[in-house]
């Protein structure tokens, strides 16, 4: 086999693994702030990570990509917004999942003596002078709400049942951001909206 053929097969296998891992998505929703996927975390077992998470969300917005990783059904952790310049963005994009995983895992270890497990969310913003932090944060939250609020048109996938995410502040999302997230979740009909503070 040529190296191109091997690379093409590896790319195809990656797409196949991703598609098989999608449990729920808003991809087919007509109006959305960002595309969101709830992934089966089993794929992590084939990678060099110490533990398979309970849940993984992957969010792709107009000017950002992000994840939310949690290690138990009831887990708490903040949402970190990562601001990059042109020199650091490419590296941050390559390492984003690993950073998010490590932050959530550290939160799990920190919470080991309490009932809540650990989680963390990340939003990697593209380097640009035109983005708005609050708007970007709300796009991330809105996409999560698409998957959390039952009965959303255009949201598909084999996963049934409701999930509760416990969010909080972190770097570049402190201050009013948690309250904004909670009120937006409430306006979307998320019954557990207070868990976003």
């Amino acid at each position: 086999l040529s190296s191109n053929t091997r690379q093409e097969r590896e790319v195809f296998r990656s797409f196949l693994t991703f598609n098989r891992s999608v449990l729920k998505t808003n991809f087919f929703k007509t109006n959305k702030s960002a595309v969101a996927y709830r992934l089966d975390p089993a794929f992590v077992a084939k990678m060099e990570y110490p533990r398979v998470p309970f849940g993984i969300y992957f969010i792709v917005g107009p000017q950002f990509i992000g994840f939310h990783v949690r290690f138990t059904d009831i887990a708490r952790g903040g949402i970190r917004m990562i601001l990059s310049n042109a020199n650091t963005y490419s590296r941050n994009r390559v390492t984003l999942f690993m950073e998010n995983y490590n932050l959530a895992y550290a939160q799990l270890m920190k919470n080991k003596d309490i009932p809540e497990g650990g989680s963390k969310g990340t939003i990697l913003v593209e380097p640009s002078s035109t983005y708005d932090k609050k708007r970007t944060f709300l796009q991330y939250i809105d996409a999560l709400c698409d998957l959390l609020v039952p009965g959303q048109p255009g949201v598909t996938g084999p996963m049934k049942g409701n999930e509760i995410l416990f969010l909080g502040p972190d770097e570049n999302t402190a201050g009013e951001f948690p309250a904004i997230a909670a009120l937006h979740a409430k306006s979307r009909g998320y019954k557990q909206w207070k868990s976003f503070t």
Side-chain angles (χ1 to χ4, degrees):
L1 294 173
S2 72
S3 61
N4 283 345
T5 304
R6 285 189 199 110
Q7 288 172 350
E8 288 166 1
R9 286 184 180 179
E10 190 56 39
V11 168
F12 180 75
R13 276 192 206 102
S14 297
F15 279 119
L16 195 57
T17 299
F18 180 82
N19 287 338
R20 287 177 176 164
S21 298
V22 174
L23 295 175
K24 192 184 278 191
T25 182
N26 69 349
F27 183 84
F28 300 101
K29 186 177 178 191
T30 305
N31 296 311
K32 54 189 166 284
S33 299
V35 179
Y37 302 92
R38 168 58 161 92
L39 301 175
D40 179 347
F43 73 91
V44 174
K46 298 175 184 171
M47 305 164 88
E48 295 184 16
Y49 289 103
R51 183 169 167 175
V52 174
F54 179 86
I56 298 174
Y57 287 85
F58 175 47
I59 302 104
V60 181
Q63 293 184 304
F64 72 90
I65 57 173
F67 289 95
H68 186 273
V69 176
R70 78 184 196 275
F71 279 94
T72 58
D73 186 20
I74 306 299
R76 182 175 299 279
I79 305 296
R80 178 173 294 190
M81 187 176 292
I82 302 164
L83 309 176
S84 303
N85 59 41
N87 296 325
T88 59
Y89 178 74
S90 293
R91 185 195 66 219
N92 288 343
R93 188 171 178 165
V94 169
T95 61
L96 183 63
F97 178 75
M98 182 174 60
E99 179 177 354
N100 198 141
Y101 178 97
N102 288 336
L103 290 166
Y105 189 72
Q107 191 72 35
L108 176 69
M109 295 296 102
K110 182 177 162 186
N111 293 1
K112 66 181 173 35
D113 297 325
I114 61 174
E116 297 174 347
S119 69
K120 189 67 78 171
T122 53
I123 305 169
L124 175 62
V125 181
E126 292 179 6
S128 167
S129 59
T130 60
Y131 86 95
D132 176 90
K133 271 192 347 185
K134 195 179 296 182
R135 188 183 81 227
T136 300
F137 179 74
L138 278 174
Q139 288 171 336
Y140 175 95
I141 295 298
D142 195 59
L144 284 175
C145 286
D146 283 345
L147 303 188
L148 295 172
V149 178
Q152 296 296 300
V155 173
T156 62
M159 184 175 187
K160 305 301 177 205
N162 300 329
E163 289 193 290
I164 300 173
L165 295 185
F166 291 88
L167 309 180
D170 204 300
E171 289 179 19
N172 295 307
T173 62
E176 64 182 339
F177 281 78
I180 290 170
L183 291 174
H184 184 74
K186 183 181 182 183
S187 75
R188 289 289 314 272
Y190 185 47
K191 290 181 180 177
Q192 292 81 23
W193 60 275
K194 289 182 180 179
S195 69
F196 276 25
T197 58

